[in-house]
Amino acid sequence: MLGGRLTTWLPLAMLVLLGLLASYGHLLVENRGHAAVDGIPSVIPVSSARDRGPDSLRSALFLAMKANHRVTIQLDVPLIELEVALPPVLSSNGVTIRGGLDVPTVLKNVATDPDQSAILRLLGNNIDLHDFTLDAAGAPGIAVFGEQATVAGVEVRNAGIGLSAVNPVRLTVRDSRFIDNIDGIRIQGSTGSATIVNSVISGNRENGIWLVFNEPAAADTASITIHGNRINAGRNGLVGANTVADFRNNYVSGFSRIGLMLMASRAAVVDNRIVDSNGIGMHLSNMQESFVYENEIGSNSLVGILILDADGLQVANNNIYSNGYGIVTVGREPIAAALRSNVLADQKIDGLIAIGDTPIIDGNHALRNSQAGIRVLDLLLPDIPVIAATQRYTNNVLRDNGSNTVLQGEFVVHP
């Protein structure tokens, strides 16, 4: 009886067992195939200082391209000498490149004939760079082409452009340094969104930060936040056009031309110090619905704030001292701007001069300026009717100036 049951069930049991083994074998084949394609660790160490070969940064970047998960490339050597530009940082799942925490890592370009490719090209999305120095030796430094990137604790020096980005969707630069480049940071294209905070941008020969988009239509989508940075030296501290910018709590000094230049943009410029230069503190041209509040602008040899045309610009509660001129406005068209409650002290020439169409000038204190506290002038341009200054000044305090009476006259532009 027992033997009959064994005879009856044994073939069926064997079939079930063979089926299980076949399924398990299929899983093993699948797993072995998966490991062959992506047996890539989440942390890839770089322990070689050489430009290429096993355990080099170049090798790690190629390995990261194949990963189907996010990877961190950990730089565990103090110096990597790069003979040519690195391959692109490219992954659909994200890459972090992190320098050594105990011994800072330096990536040094040692090419005898540097090409025009950036040393680090960020082509993928979700790429983070942390805690290393890039000495570009004249080549471009970091170029961002992907939509999202973070640069934190990174120093870029001796580059053509320290960091460039075209149409970034979300670029974050924080706690970083851009030293002795031609341009420190350059963001451009048709649109872009970026945050630059708590960074040092110093000794760059042309521009500390360049934010110039193609056309005014980009202003609705190009949003830039620049907070808590130190921008020193160069021709211009920051140049921006066709953007929406929040420029707040920055220290700008030592430039030879313009500290903050904004054109055809909408901006909030609040609580900045723009001082000690041979040029113009702020140059605001064709601004729309913008405000400039509570800034300190001093010891700039030409002008504290220069305003050329405006539509809805509010300039209030700023402390403007020891410049050539304090505030200069030029209204070639109706200038829809208001200057309220500013302190204009100790300018070498005039505290405030309005040329052409006049903004509202209300409640300002003009103190100890060498010539006029406030001066308003008709604008005479070749071949067009006179643009007359209007009396839109009220409640101002003029004291201890060369003239404490509002002076009137003409500003003639010869052909």
Side-chain angles (χ1 to χ4, degrees), residues 11-28:
L12 181 59
M14 291 295 294
L15 286 173
V16 171
L17 178 60
L18 288 172
L20 290 172
L21 289 173
S23 298
Y24 182 60
H26 180 66
L27 288 173
L28 288 175

Side-chain angles (χ1 to χ4, degrees), residues 91 99 172 206 215 394 405:
S91 171
T172 300
E206 289 294 323
E215 55 188 27
T394 56
T405 301

Side-chain angles (χ1 to χ4, degrees), residues 264-277:
S265 297
R266 296 199 298 273
V269 182
V270 181
D271 193 27
N272 302 283
R273 293 183 67 199
I274 303 179
V275 297
D276 297 328
S277 83

